[in-house]
Amino acid sequence: MNTPWFLFLAALRFMTRRAPSRDDASRSMPHAATRFFPLIGILSGLLAGGIYWLGAQLWPTSVAVVLCMAATSLAATSPAAGEARDARLGAAYGMLSLLVKYNALMALTAATGPIPLPPYLTLGLVMIAGQAAAGSLVVSLLTGGTSVAPRATTGDLGVALLIGFLPATLLGIPGLAGLVSAIVVRLILTAVVLPRTALEPRLQLDVTQQMTEVSFYLGAVATWRYV
């Protein structure tokens, strides 16, 4: 029963709870479900954007940013069980990404996009684009297969990249710069960083999602002042 709704729910379960073993993952999540990972990112961005908008009506933007980050962190996948070394490395990447993410989002609170939007909504679109792009780049890791998820096919990756990259185009040049930044960081992680850390596969996916999302925001910040 691989209907779109079933595949979406399978992707949602995978992205919001601890990953099962390889055999369980293969049974519970068909490979076609991976193409919905960017859509989960879009929904997470919508959640973050909505909480930021609501928070900004009552408190300073700095508080609203913290609230939206907390909400998405709570909704994200729980940390994978593993060796203590993996846990420490995962925590280090997590702290680094949260620190940089907060400062990048604060820098983007005053940004205005090519599409006229009411106050406080542009940042919501930025977060949707960043999380969607990160979700699609996670799928790119699964084309080789991992111990926690079924192998994604070329077709799955193509659909995921289309869904994941589309929101960034609504931001114009900053969105495209964010995509380039996220792609470059994904390549560096795969070629240089992750092989040297020997993180277990679940944490590799988590680190890739976190670092590519943050890199998207940094790329957008770096170019927004010039457009």
Side-chain angles (χ1 to χ4, degrees):
M1 184 179 64
N2 289 345
T3 64
W5 180 244
F6 172 80
L7 296 175
F8 169 77
L9 291 179
L12 182 63
R13 285 193 298 269
F14 181 86
M15 295 293 282
T16 55
R17 68 172 183 174
R18 182 171 295 142
S21 67
R22 181 178 179 85
D23 291 339
D24 290 340
S26 299
R27 290 193 295 267
S28 63
M29 189 180 75
H31 69 83
T34 59
R35 64 183 61 184
F36 286 91
F37 284 7
L39 183 57
I40 305 303
I42 290 175
L43 294 177
S44 181
L46 284 170
L47 172 65
I51 291 177
Y52 170 74
W53 181 84
L54 289 172
Q57 310 304 310
L58 301 173
W59 301 292
T61 54
S62 58
V63 176
V65 168
V66 170
L67 290 175
C68 74
M69 289 176 58
T72 53
S73 294
L74 289 173
T77 307
S78 58
E83 298 180 355
R85 179 174 175 272
D86 278 357
R88 289 194 298 269
L89 284 171
Y93 280 114
M95 289 299 295
L96 174 62
S97 66
L98 285 175
L99 179 62
V100 178
K101 181 178 178 179
Y102 171 77
N103 285 278
L105 292 178
M106 283 300 299
L108 289 166
T109 54
T112 57
I115 302 175
L117 292 173
Y120 306 117
L121 291 188
T122 298
L123 183 61
L125 179 57
V126 172
M127 289 188 285
I128 290 171
Q131 297 211 34
S136 66
L137 292 173
V138 167
V139 178
S140 71
L141 287 182
L142 300 179
T143 55
T146 74
S147 61
V148 295
R151 182 189 183 104
T153 67
T154 303
D156 298 329
L157 178 59
V159 173
L161 292 177
L162 178 62
I163 297 173
F165 288 2
L166 185 60
T169 63
L170 301 177
L171 299 172
I173 293 176
L176 298 178
L179 280 180
V180 171
S181 178
I183 292 170
V184 169
V185 168
R186 185 272 191 222
L187 294 175
I188 293 174
L189 284 172
T190 304
V192 179
V193 179
L194 295 180
R196 295 185 179 182
T197 59
L199 289 172
E200 62 100 17
R202 172 74 257 184
L203 279 176
Q204 290 190 23
L205 298 182
D206 291 345
V207 167
T208 299
Q209 192 280 328
Q210 293 169 7
M211 300 305 287
T212 53
E213 180 191 350
V214 169
S215 300
F216 180 94
Y217 301 143
L218 291 178
V221 169
T223 54
W224 219 302
R225 69 184 67 179
Y226 302 111
V227 297

